[in-house]
Amino acid sequence: MTVYTTIDSPLGELLLVGEASATAKGGTALASLSMPDQKGGAVVRDGWLRDDEAFQAIADQLRAYFAGSLTHFDIEYVAGAGTDFQRKVWSAVDAVPYGTTTTYGRLAEQLGLSRAAVRALGTAIGRNPLLVVRPCHRVIGADGSLTGYAAGLERKKHLLDLETA
């Protein structure tokens, strides 16, 4: 069964969507974390059950992150989301350390992709269903510019500023 909740954050209201999991802390694996006006963001669907308690452990981690006291999330994700290529890219994004950035080109190189595949890599990053906790905000343009964040460049800047404060 799909469950959801919303929590307030410095970026606006976050929509968390998940499924029950016997192995996840708090009993819920995260399927999606999205924000208002996010390109491709989740919306509550018929049949989903609001369950604030199911997300307590995840919400606590998010609050600690926004307070500046958490630098690494320990959240189980729902398995099976995305294509094989997207999961490969998302795994590389997951490995970008807190307080640092990388470029689309460096990620492509790290994954053994050609320069021509950088656009496909960017598209895969743009389809990340787990904003904030899967740190796609840490991927920037080759010239250091902020580019391509589904929830908007203002929010990307806010997250990067938080991590370098």
Side-chain angles (χ1 to χ4, degrees):
M1 173 188 300
T2 301
V3 292
Y4 76 95
T5 193
T6 58
I7 65 167
D8 290 328
S9 83
L11 304 174
E13 185 178 73
L14 305 180
L15 172 62
L16 285 65
V17 180
E19 296 178 7
S21 169
T23 56
K25 288 183 179 182
T28 302
L30 191 62
S32 173
L33 189 160
S34 55
M35 300 176 212
D37 304 319
Q38 173 187 327
K39 179 182 170 191
V43 294
V44 177
R45 297 184 184 172
D46 289 340
W48 288 6
L49 175 67
R50 183 171 185 121
D51 187 347
D52 300 338
E53 214 34 56
F55 292 93
Q56 192 60 54
I58 296 169
D60 288 347
Q61 288 187 56
L62 286 163
R63 287 185 192 97
Y65 169 80
F66 287 120
S69 61
L70 182 78
T71 61
H72 177 77
F73 291 100
D74 185 15
I75 296 172
E76 181 179 312
Y77 304 144
V78 172
T83 65
D84 288 343
F85 179 74
Q86 287 170 332
R87 286 192 297 271
K88 181 179 173 179
V89 170
W90 296 342
S91 180
V93 169
D94 281 333
V96 179
Y98 180 94
T100 68
T101 58
T102 191
T103 66
Y104 294 92
R106 273 186 280 197
L107 267 185
E109 184 178 308
Q110 177 185 333
L111 292 170
L113 303 174
S114 70
R115 295 289 294 163
V118 172
R119 184 176 298 258
L121 176 131
T123 299
I125 291 171
R127 296 231 167 90
N128 171 19
L130 300 165
L131 295 189
V132 182
V133 297
R134 177 176 291 134
C136 57
H137 58 276
R138 296 179 190 153
V139 184
I140 60 174
D143 62 358
S145 63
L146 301 186
T147 61
Y149 192 62
L153 295 181
E154 252 182 51
R155 289 178 173 139
K156 183 172 189 163
K157 181 177 181 340
H158 182 93
L159 292 168
L160 292 173
D161 288 348
L162 170 74
E163 293 186 5
T164 56

